[in-house]
Amino acid sequence: MPISKPYLFLLPFIAWLLMFYSSIADMVNVWGTSKTYEHCFLIIPISLWVLWQHKKEFNAAPSGVAWLPIILLFFPAILWLLGLAAKANVFEHAAAIFSLQLLLWAMLGNAKAKVAWFPIAFLVFCIPFGEELIPRLQIITADLSIVFLQLSNIPVYRDGLYLTIPNGQFFVAEACSGIRFLISSLALGTLFAYLQFTKIWKRVAFVGFSFIFPIIANGIRAYGIILIGYLSDMKYATGADHLVYGWFFFSIVILCIFFTASLFADKPNEQVHQHFPLASQLTKQSSTKAAGTITLIFFSFALWGQSITHNNKTVTTPPQLLADAKAIDNSTWGINFPDASAATLAVNNAGDTYFYTARYALWQPTGELISSRNTLFDKDIWSIQQQENVTISNNANATTLSLISQGGSSMKVVYWYCVSHYCSSDPLSIKLTKASQLLRGEEGYADIYAIASKGEQRAIQYAQRWQASFRQKPE
């Protein structure tokens, strides 16, 4: 008995849901717990609304199946495996959405997918992305604030992300980076670009404007908060006033973007309406074969992913310390890598340099070498003044952090990661190295090595010694 059309569409969708269930659940959890991505709950309703506006064209377009997106499904499936093995959630989230977009294209066919191209493409804003921009956005916000303060003839002293004016001090925290403004504005700007313009160059230009304008506006917002603090002798622009001012300013940003789109929008008589032929030029292919192929792809990769998650061998052997390092319980450093299989905090004989190392299994149910939960220093005490890369051996690079506290104390931190015998401070290369080992079925471990000292050269010298010591003796 042949399978009816609705079931043909439903079967690969069920397979997609089974493969990406944990990734989707994690993605929705991010939407609900992070204010930066609360707008993601609106993306699917907006996509359905836009499709509803084109329902006549959509219904008129012939149905069919498209085989190109079925072939392309292998790429997000591999991306999902890499994300699963490396515990790179953004890879998993992106793979889930890209696979859904390709699935819709494949099962709707080229003609209908051409009508629904924007609602399908707009689903990309379901992916919680952009947090990696936060450190750079903090610096840009501080830079813009300094420029505006100097133009206003307000004395200001900058030390990293600390901005000091005659009657107070401000810190450009992660919440002040403007990432919430930026991601939401970019999504809305993309929607406005589609609704208001038809020319490609106009749409691209407006999306670019929607990206740049919130960054500049956030710099003005930060400057405004400092200005209010300066004029009110620090009575306002802090606490609740700070938050209210931020949301009010965000509303102004959205109104400006909307007004700009309306101002330069194509007039109704300039709109170019595309008409799709009723006759399909698609090659006649079996819908059953297409649905079966997609389902097979999803189930095959899902089983491969299960083999990775079952590789949860615990590693309890601690990484090697330097000979003159003695373990201690705590320090003002504040480094913390929770859920590690083994971790050690130590200090040298002189008491002026601290060492930290932690070890994880390549894959374990909880805990990860590179994660937002891990902290290289106590962010309530220290802020990054400068960051740069250094070479500590022929096969290892590290990162140095120049930290400063609100009280003016300074500290240098050198850190790097190792996956088995590959060492680097680049998070992406470490994650990909770990993922490749898991995909090949290899065993191993993942380590963090970090050194904190008052002097940068002393910290680097210890890092070179430490790297050389455990590279000479395989563990």
Side-chain angles (χ1 to χ4, degrees), residues 100-176:
L100 177 60
Q101 292 171 317
L102 291 172
L103 172 60
L104 291 171
W105 176 9
M107 298 308 295
L108 290 174
N110 289 332
K112 286 187 179 294
K114 190 174 182 180
V115 179
W117 74 267
F118 181 80
I120 294 175
F122 194 63
L123 293 175
V124 74
F125 287 105
C126 289
I127 304 171
F129 66 93
E131 286 193 340
E132 61 277 2
L133 298 175
I134 289 178
R136 184 58 188 165
L137 290 174
Q138 288 176 273
I139 295 173
I140 293 175
T141 300
D143 292 341
L144 291 173
S145 299
I146 291 292
V147 171
F148 295 135
L149 287 169
Q150 290 176 341
L151 290 175
S152 303
N153 292 321
I154 297 177
V156 58
Y157 171 75
R158 178 177 178 177
D159 196 351
L161 296 176
Y162 286 99
L163 306 181
T164 304
I165 58 176
N167 52 353
Q169 185 180 65
F170 292 84
F171 174 65
V172 183
E174 291 184 2
C176 303

Side-chain angles (χ1 to χ4, degrees), residues 85-388:
K87 284 198 172 181
N89 291 340
V90 68
F91 284 7
E92 293 187 55
H93 301 162
I97 296 301
F98 293 158
S99 296
L100 177 60
Q101 292 171 317
L102 291 172
L103 172 60
L104 291 171
W105 176 9
M107 298 308 295
L108 290 174
N110 289 332
K112 286 187 179 294
K114 190 174 182 180
V115 179
W117 74 267
F118 181 80
I120 294 175
F122 194 63
L123 293 175
V124 74
F125 287 105
C126 289
I127 304 171
F129 66 93
E131 286 193 340
E132 61 277 2
L133 298 175
I134 289 178
R136 184 58 188 165
L137 290 174
Q138 288 176 273
I139 295 173
I140 293 175
T141 300
D143 292 341
L144 291 173
S145 299
I146 291 292
V147 171
F148 295 135
L149 287 169
Q150 290 176 341
L151 290 175
S152 303
N153 292 321
I154 297 177
V156 58
Y157 171 75
R158 178 177 178 177
D159 196 351
L161 296 176
Y162 286 99
L163 306 181
T164 304
I165 58 176
N167 52 353
Q169 185 180 65
F170 292 84
F171 174 65
V172 183
E174 291 184 2
C176 303
S177 65
I179 190 66
R180 298 179 190 175
F181 294 170
L182 181 59
I183 302 299
S184 301
S185 300
L186 184 60
L188 288 175
T190 302
L191 176 63
F192 293 156
Y194 172 76
L195 296 176
Q196 303 285 24
F197 306 111
T198 57
K199 296 181 178 64
I200 294 179
W201 72 268
K202 277 191 172 183
R203 285 176 171 173
V204 172
F206 189 77
V207 171
F209 167 76
S210 301
F211 181 81
I212 296 173
F213 180 69
I215 296 176
I216 298 174
N218 187 63
I220 297 174
R221 179 188 72 88
Y223 157 72
I225 291 174
I226 297 173
L227 179 63
I228 292 173
Y230 176 74
L231 296 176
S232 66
D233 198 22
M234 301 302 290
K235 292 181 180 179
Y236 305 107
T238 58
D241 298 317
H242 190 141
L243 295 175
V244 170
Y245 178 67
W247 281 111
F248 173 77
F249 204 87
F250 175 66
S251 302
I252 298 297
V253 169
I254 296 302
L255 287 175
C256 288
I257 292 176
F258 178 76
F259 176 76
T260 303
S262 302
L263 185 64
F264 295 99
D266 294 330
K267 296 180 180 179
N269 60 352
E270 293 178 345
Q271 296 283 346
V272 180
H273 296 283
Q274 292 183 323
H275 298 280
F276 298 89
L278 294 177
S280 174
Q281 300 298 321
L282 297 173
T283 304
K284 298 290 184 179
Q285 297 287 352
S286 167
S287 297
T288 304
K289 186 176 181 181
T293 302
I294 295 173
T295 303
L296 180 62
I297 292 173
F298 285 147
F299 278 143
S300 298
F301 277 91
L303 289 174
W304 193 351
Q306 283 296 314
S307 69
I308 294 174
T309 59
H310 288 161
N311 184 6
N312 58 355
K313 182 179 178 180
T314 302
V315 176
T316 56
T317 305
Q320 178 180 326
L321 279 173
L322 279 171
D324 58 347
K326 299 179 181 179
I328 57 174
D329 293 331
N330 57 67
S331 71
T332 58
W333 181 0
I335 189 170
N336 184 33
F337 279 66
D339 300 317
S341 297
T344 305
L345 178 65
V347 66
N348 66 347
N349 293 329
D352 58 5
T353 302
Y354 293 91
F355 307 88
Y356 180 86
T357 182
R359 172 162 290 180
Y360 294 81
L362 282 186
W363 197 96
Q364 53 188 62
T366 58
E368 162 65 14
L369 178 66
I370 299 174
S371 168
S372 58
R373 295 183 61 209
N374 303 337
T375 54
L376 289 163
F377 55 88
D378 188 339
K379 294 183 179 180
D380 292 332
I381 300 176
W382 307 98
S383 67
I384 299 176
Q385 189 177 31
Q386 188 178 0
Q387 177 176 326
E388 60 182 353

Side-chain angles (χ1 to χ4, degrees), residues 322 390-393 396 398 414 416 451 457-472:
L322 279 171
V390 296
T391 300
I392 57 174
S393 72
V414 180
W416 68 102
I451 301 170
Q457 289 305 315
R458 183 187 300 122
I460 294 175
Q461 289 170 1
Y462 269 117
Q464 292 170 339
R465 284 179 51 198
W466 204 356
Q467 174 72 9
S469 69
F470 65 76
R471 280 292 164 258
Q472 292 170 357

